[in-house]
Amino acid sequence: MSIHLEKLRLFLQEKQLDGVIISKSANVRYFSGFTGTAGILICTQDKGLLITDSRYIEQAKKQAVDFEIIKQGKNIINSISDEIQSLTILRLGFESDFLTWDLHTEIAEKLINQELVPIKLDSLRMIKNDTELAYIKAAVDIADQAFEYILDYLRPGVSEFDIAAELEYKMRKLGAQKPAFDTIVASGARSALPHGIAAAKRIESGDIVTMDFGAVYEGYHSDITRSVVIGQATSKQREVYEIVLAAQLAALDSLNPGRTGAEIDAIARDQITLAGYGEFFGHGLGHGLGLSIHEEPRLSPSGCVVLQPGMVVTVEPGIYLPDWGGVRIEDTVVISAYGCQVLTSSDKQLIEINV
Ligand SMILES: [Mn+2]
């Protein structure tokens, strides 16, 4: 039995659940190994079922070795309830942060003795094992190499679309399965948009160009942001950049097991606030990542999870000034026994692209 499945069964025991139904794809993959897009797990202490459709039967048999593969009938709800009835389940957990109201209602209508109990499983994925860390590191390295490549490509006249396309193509050529999310390229005044998806705008001399992107490798994500200046930076651009960098380094410096996400967020936020830009750092400091791009634990004012070795998070403070532009610096980081290890290796000193 896989370590991940062992974790799930321990969790069921703690929650006094007889079984669980899982349909969120990151969790299906995590607990079973199955990577297809259509699959539902039903798991008890001694039985694991994976219901999928005819497209995936062979793949599921190869990947989900701890699970009995069930081909779904014409009606998926009937298939699910038939399997649940065949097991001795009274309390059945379901993913309350994922299962739709419609599906929940339909399943509930079919059940006779079972009680549906809301649970959340994502926190079971927080601590990564060595295999997972190796996949994340590979995804980080791909993004680092794409960043190095794109520096030679940046010049006035190229569009944000072009830059995003080059980044994504390069990552694919380096072995990425896909981009980790829609690549963000935001230049000039648009760099004040924290999530400015690449647009037709062309790069101009004097622009800050913020690029936020990542790769997926073996299902695992990486996430990096760098802001660079086209031409020589103005003193204001340099000032803002140095404040963000100092805040990022301070957060990394204090990123230790035993602290909460809120504490680390506050360290970066206080620095930016002291420098006079607190109101222009509107988002949380970072987020966990793994089989999904945003997961637990959060580094934010509400982040209450106590950090532990093996957790992987981003650290990404930013300052965004409307009509002027913005700067964000983001690394992917793993919490270690005594501190943290920054996986991202791209340069963080202000880069001026001289053309
Ligand atoms: Mn991020």
Side-chain angles (χ1 to χ4, degrees):
M1 177 175 36
S2 81
I3 297 164
H4 294 172
L5 186 54
E6 233 168 280
K7 257 196 227 183
L8 177 65
R9 289 190 162 136
L10 214 58
F11 175 85
L12 296 184
Q13 211 171 5
E14 281 165 15
K15 298 280 174 189
Q16 298 182 313
L17 295 167
D18 306 304
V20 63
I21 177 165
I22 301 172
S23 54
K24 189 189 279 194
S25 65
N27 287 334
V28 169
R29 179 173 186 154
Y30 188 77
F31 295 116
S32 76
F34 176 62
T35 63
T37 55
I40 290 175
L41 303 182
I42 297 168
C43 191
T44 66
Q45 283 304 338
D46 46 22
K47 220 161 162 95
L49 307 177
L50 166 54
I51 304 173
T52 187
D53 64 49
S54 58
R55 293 171 299 169
Y56 287 120
I57 299 297
E58 290 311 310
Q59 179 184 336
K61 280 181 189 163
K62 285 203 186 82
Q63 293 180 326
V65 291
D66 293 321
F67 287 75
E68 184 183 325
I69 311 304
I70 313 267
K71 187 176 160 188
Q72 80 177 60
K74 280 199 180 68
N75 182 325
I76 182 73
I77 303 297
N78 287 340
S79 301
I80 292 168
S81 61
D82 287 351
E83 298 305 331
I84 292 169
Q85 304 297 351
S86 76
L87 302 164
T88 40
I89 296 175
L90 290 176
R91 282 166 53 81
L92 177 70
F94 72 96
E95 297 162 297
S96 62
D97 57 354
F98 186 77
L99 193 71
T100 62
W101 190 81
D102 279 356
L103 259 177
H104 178 278
T105 307
E106 290 180 69
I107 293 169
E109 277 169 5
K110 293 272 180 184
L111 300 181
I112 303 159
N113 289 318
Q114 294 84 359
E115 178 193 357
L116 281 165
V117 181
I119 54 163
K120 293 188 175 77
L121 296 172
D122 290 12
S123 61
L124 296 178
R125 306 202 316 263
M126 285 194 299
I127 296 175
K128 274 69 181 177
N129 64 28
D130 287 348
T131 308
E132 295 178 285
L133 291 176
Y135 292 157
I136 292 170
K137 177 62 177 156
V140 166
D141 288 347
I142 288 169
D144 274 332
Q145 289 178 64
F147 178 68
E148 195 184 340
Y149 165 80
I150 210 69
L151 290 176
D152 284 334
Y153 183 83
L154 295 177
R155 67 182 72 94
V158 300
S159 72
E160 294 173 359
F161 279 148
D162 291 334
I163 296 166
E166 288 291 325
L167 280 170
E168 293 181 7
Y169 180 71
K170 188 70 182 173
M171 289 194 291
R172 290 298 298 266
K173 293 291 277 187
L174 289 164
Q177 292 168 316
K178 58 181 180 181
F181 48 87
D182 288 341
T183 295
I184 290 168
V185 180
S187 63
R190 290 191 76 250
S191 61
L193 307 171
H195 271 190
I197 300 296
K201 182 192 169 295
R202 290 182 186 281
I203 304 303
E204 294 167 47
S205 184
D207 278 357
I208 293 175
V209 182
T210 293
M211 294 162 285
D212 183 351
F213 58 98
V216 178
Y217 185 84
E218 290 286 341
Y220 286 81
H221 294 69
S222 65
D223 200 354
I224 176 176
T225 307
R226 290 293 184 268
S227 296
V228 304
V229 174
I230 307 298
Q232 205 182 345
T234 65
S235 57
K236 171 103 175 202
Q237 286 171 335
R238 186 167 287 280
E239 178 205 331
V240 170
Y241 192 93
E242 296 303 332
I243 293 165
V244 174
L245 180 57
Q248 208 251 3
L249 294 173
L252 290 175
D253 216 38
S254 49
L255 200 52
N256 296 313
R259 309 199 72 168
T260 65
E263 285 170 24
I264 308 301
D265 177 277
I267 285 160
R269 196 167 301 281
D270 288 352
Q271 286 232 1
I272 290 174
T273 302
L274 272 173
Y277 291 97
E279 63 180 301
F280 303 108
F281 173 26
H283 56 75
L285 178 66
H287 52 89
L289 78 175
L291 284 173
S292 63
I293 182 62
H294 295 123
E295 57 184 54
E296 294 292 326
R298 310 278 164 172
L299 305 186
S300 77
S302 59
C304 54
V305 171
V306 176
L307 301 173
Q308 293 176 62
M311 290 181 176
V312 178
V313 294
T314 67
V315 178
E316 48 177 312
I319 293 175
Y320 313 93
L321 305 176
D323 302 322
W324 180 83
V327 168
R328 178 167 64 256
I329 302 170
E330 174 182 33
D331 290 330
T332 299
V333 178
V334 56
I335 312 290
S336 60
Y338 303 103
C340 72
Q341 184 196 351
V342 180
L343 300 177
T344 306
S345 59
S346 292
D347 194 2
K348 278 193 286 201
Q349 296 306 315
L350 178 57
I351 295 172
E352 297 169 307
I353 307 283
N354 289 304
V355 283

